[in-house]
Amino acid sequence: MRLLIDLGNTRLKWRWWDNGRLLPGGNTNHFSGHLQELDYQLRSSAAEVAHIAAVARQEICQDLGRLLDEVETGQDWLITPARGLGLINSYPQPHKLGIDRWLALAAAYAETGRACCVIDIGTAMTVDLCDERGQHQGGLIAPGPLAMARALKRDTSLPAAAENLPQTLAWAKDTEDALQYGALHAVCGLIERSFRLGRLRHGCDKVLLTGGAAAMISAYLDVPHEIDRELVFKGLALHAAAAADEAEADRSS
């Protein structure tokens, strides 16, 4: 039994991996006793090792590390490589590409075997593309829809954005709605432009959406797309399978 952990900017998410099977886990945010449920599960279901994709603040990572030490679970903190899981990294300093982005793109490419455009919509929104050979083409980072609206509230005298989501995206008739609509339009515009460029330059036939806000944004998009909120975990599962094969080879030698 291995533990797969996606430690994001605002949420801790985990799944279990057992002999090639991806099993349910849990998730919580960083401000509500984020380790309590994981602590309970670890003490009732021993894990040989935890494979961790972390982009959270250092203190959050340290809290998780201490918990894993307490329950004597091995720790594998992933660092984005120059090459691996079928992909070739385009970054001159490979480790600077977020590991969650790398894993999501690797999972998408492993499933399709063709050019992919993966967009993760959460606190931040990231875009990554690879061609049909698995060559990473680069990416983009922008605020997610909630972060975008909150930034204006924080840095200007504008009010908070409306919380109710529109049925369709159009022109707003008051300031609160205009802030909400504006953030949604901006996010959709980036997604739709990314798809057009991916199709024009690399033959991408759709966008793959993941992340906590993927379903919310999906309703407003005018481009071919699919939602797969497990892409990062599927990438972690690819890594876990390779690590298990390597450990078995070491035991056999």
Side-chain angles (χ1 to χ4, degrees), residues 3-251:
L3 181 63
L4 311 181
I5 296 178
D6 177 9
L7 192 58
N9 290 302
T10 57
R11 297 192 72 80
L12 166 68
K13 295 157 281 187
W14 66 93
R15 304 288 184 270
W16 299 92
W17 186 87
D18 186 20
N19 293 321
R21 295 181 300 151
L22 191 58
L23 305 175
N27 73 90
T28 185
N29 65 52
H30 296 329
F31 307 106
S32 60
H34 66 281
L35 293 178
Q36 292 177 2
E37 183 181 350
L38 179 59
D39 188 339
Y40 173 78
Q41 289 195 20
L42 280 169
R43 294 181 192 278
S44 58
S45 302
E48 175 186 353
V49 63
H51 302 288
I52 307 159
V55 297
R57 299 188 307 276
Q58 184 177 6
E59 59 268 27
I60 300 292
C61 296
Q62 290 171 341
D63 288 345
L64 176 61
R66 282 192 288 268
L67 171 60
L68 295 172
D69 281 340
E70 288 177 12
V71 296
E72 298 182 347
T73 295
Q75 300 178 39
D76 175 24
W77 295 80
L78 277 65
I79 299 174
T80 308
R83 179 189 295 260
L85 301 180
L87 298 180
I88 304 167
N89 199 330
S90 67
Y91 273 32
Q93 299 181 67
H95 67 280
K96 288 192 172 183
L97 174 63
I99 186 62
D100 53 342
R101 295 166 57 190
W102 177 261
L103 292 169
L105 189 62
Y109 183 66
E111 288 190 353
T112 65
R114 58 179 183 267
C116 296
C117 178
V118 173
I119 301 181
D120 190 330
I121 313 171
T123 306
M125 181 168 67
T126 63
V127 181
D128 283 284
L129 294 95
C130 71
D131 65 18
E132 71 281 355
R133 299 175 294 112
Q135 173 65 59
H136 179 234
Q137 298 298 308
L140 304 168
I141 304 175
L146 296 179
M148 198 179 301
R150 287 170 181 163
L152 282 173
K153 167 63 177 173
R154 184 185 65 243
D155 297 335
T156 72
S157 59
L158 289 166
E163 295 184 0
N164 55 306
L165 295 173
Q167 293 295 315
T168 59
L169 281 187
W171 306 110
K173 301 299 192 296
D174 62 60
T175 302
E176 289 80 3
D177 283 348
L179 288 163
Q180 178 68 274
Y181 282 40
L184 293 172
H185 273 291
V187 168
C188 291
L190 179 55
I191 294 171
E192 290 164 5
R193 178 173 173 80
S194 297
F195 168 71
R196 287 195 295 272
L197 290 174
R199 181 177 59 183
L200 177 66
R201 298 179 181 178
H202 306 294
C204 295
D205 60 359
K206 62 185 173 184
V207 171
L208 293 171
L209 301 179
T210 192
M216 177 182 77
I217 295 299
S218 172
Y220 305 115
L221 292 177
D222 294 325
V223 297
H225 65 279
E226 291 183 7
I227 299 174
D228 188 342
R229 295 185 62 177
E230 297 292 291
L231 275 180
V232 172
F233 286 113
K234 289 180 178 180
L236 277 165
L238 291 174
H239 174 81
D245 288 345
E246 184 177 343
E248 182 61 29
D250 288 343
R251 285 192 291 267

